[in-house]
Amino acid sequence: MTDKNTTDFNENSMDYAGGVAVGVTGYITNFNADAQARISGALMEIGKWIDEESGAFLGHVKCGIYLENGDGVTLNLTNLENGVEVHGILEPAEKVGFSILCAVLDVDKHELEHMLLHALEDTFLDIELTKGSHSHKHDDHCGCGDNCKCGNHHEHHHH
Amino acid sequence: MYVYILGGFLGSGKTSLMLNLTSMYIDRGQKVALLVNESGDVGVDGATMKREGYDAIEMPNGCICCTLASSLQEGLRSIARDLKPDVILIEPTGLALPHRVKDLVRIAMIDEEETILIGVVDAQRFDKLISKKSEFFDRQMQGCNFILINKSDTVSSEKLAEIRNWMSSEYPDKPIHSVSVKEGSNMDEVHELMK
């Protein structure tokens, strides 16, 4: 392979790679081991969708869950075979902050945002989003219409 | 002051490597500054660093090799001027072209002794990445001073040898080391390379 040492800083490397990145931040009330497992499940759901859509899950879906003092746990999905890897331990807490970042290749950004929000809703956790996709609004029923990829999930608990 | 750029695809193990090297430098009694870039508008790696007791400067919402190029340079000047570290470790997003980050470090004129680019390759997803994005992978390996084939514990020795042979034939001028950052395998070799 030849040495392509370009210095064209106007070229967007994400676009070149076909990459998209979406993320949300927020709070989870009543965090415990079960809540952590549900978040892991959400990450896997997103990962499986990405794998189906793009033909290969290339990228990562990661979630940091933390207290104000910095204590926390990181959930990391880079390979569906390995599942979600857990780094750190977080004890049950009344309220924790969280950040989720999906950075992957070859999927539609809007659809990825859609899947991320649905996956979080399907955890049935008490989640308050503070940053993320506000263009996709959920009501007590999924109002995605004909293009919805929710499958049979047409009712969501909304907090 | 030395600058290390940890380049490689998403999920290849750059953050784990950064944590490992940070711990090593602290054990050596050296002052290290961390700069973490994430492509999304949400950062997770900074919280990971904080959990481990390290403060990192986060640059989310873009790529330091292109869209955040000027932020990177300002950040580096600020680090050099205010923190005066012995080492700066930079983790670009896994969608960055690391050799461009190296160029930007040079242009920032922070009086570094040397900027060294470490390429990190995921052994487990190697075949998939090469089959789908070989050109992007190649561009990410451009300019690397040495390459780490990470997650060596996740593949068979035969597969690892196959990957290593392929990498050696494509990049004959670059030293290649097989490691598992998570398990600590061969990390002593890497530590000896770090100035």
Side-chain angles (χ1 to χ4, degrees), chain A residues 17-39:
Chain A
V20 296
V22 303
V24 293
T25 60
Y27 294 98
I28 301 170
T29 302
N30 297 325
F31 174 81
N32 54 22
D34 177 66
Q36 181 173 311
R38 286 171 189 252
I39 294 289

Side-chain angles (χ1 to χ4, degrees), chain B:
Chain B
M1 181 176 67
Y2 289 91
V3 179
Y4 284 91
I5 300 163
L6 313 182
F9 191 66
L10 299 162
S12 56
K14 299 183 297 297
T15 305
S16 298
L17 179 62
M18 185 177 245
L19 287 169
N20 179 284
L21 296 178
T22 302
S23 173
M24 178 209 74
Y25 276 117
I26 288 173
D27 286 346
R28 281 187 188 177
Q30 289 177 278
K31 194 171 178 185
V32 56
L34 309 176
L35 201 153
V36 176
N37 167 221
E38 300 224 60
S39 41
D41 56 0
V42 165
V44 175
D45 289 342
T48 301
M49 297 289 166
K50 194 174 176 187
R51 187 190 73 227
E52 298 295 326
Y54 308 133
D55 271 324
I57 294 167
E58 283 188 272
M59 291 193 174
N61 208 13
C63 175
I64 55 175
C65 86
C66 46
T67 53
L68 294 180
S70 53
S71 299
L72 168 67
Q73 293 185 295
E74 281 164 27
L76 286 171
R77 287 186 202 113
S78 170
I79 287 170
R81 182 186 61 238
D82 300 334
L83 299 179
K84 297 182 177 54
D86 299 305
V87 178
I88 301 176
L89 298 178
I90 301 173
E91 183 195 342
T93 164
L95 296 173
L97 296 173
H99 70 265
R100 298 205 312 207
V101 179
K102 194 173 181 179
D103 289 338
L104 288 164
V105 171
R106 177 178 50 81
I107 295 167
M109 294 176 68
I110 54 172
D111 201 25
E112 74 279 11
E113 288 278 335
E114 193 178 354
T115 298
I116 295 154
L117 178 46
I118 303 174
V120 185
V121 174
D122 183 342
Q124 194 173 26
R125 293 182 303 165
F126 181 80
D127 287 344
K128 222 180 258 189
L129 187 56
I130 295 298
S131 74
K132 284 207 89 179
K133 299 284 174 179
S134 61
E135 190 180 319
F136 184 72
F137 175 85
D138 178 48
R139 288 190 72 186
Q140 284 201 313
M141 292 296 112
Q142 296 300 319
C144 287
N145 293 85
F146 60 90
I147 294 171
L148 304 182
I149 301 173
N150 189 26
K151 307 189 190 180
S152 61
D153 57 306
T154 63
V155 298
S156 67
S157 51
E158 292 79 18
K159 185 66 192 172
L160 188 60
E162 186 189 314
I163 294 170
R164 205 189 162 99
N165 288 341
W166 189 93
M167 292 292 293
S168 296
S169 70
E170 293 296 329
Y171 310 104
D173 58 326
K174 301 183 196 301
I176 293 171
H177 304 265
S178 304
V179 300
S180 167
V181 177
K182 182 175 140 186
E183 301 292 324
S185 307
N186 287 346
M187 287 306 295
D188 286 348
E189 250 176 60
V190 178
H191 292 173
E192 279 170 25
L193 297 171
M194 308 298 291
K195 296 174 189 174

Side-chain angles (χ1 to χ4, degrees), chain A residues 133-155:
Chain A
S133 174
H134 296 292
S135 62
H136 187 104
K137 297 191 186 300
H138 276 254
D139 209 322
D140 290 332
H141 299 280
C142 171
C144 304
D146 291 343
N147 292 324
C148 179
K149 296 189 193 309
C150 301
N152 294 325
H153 296 285
H154 287 291
E155 289 189 10

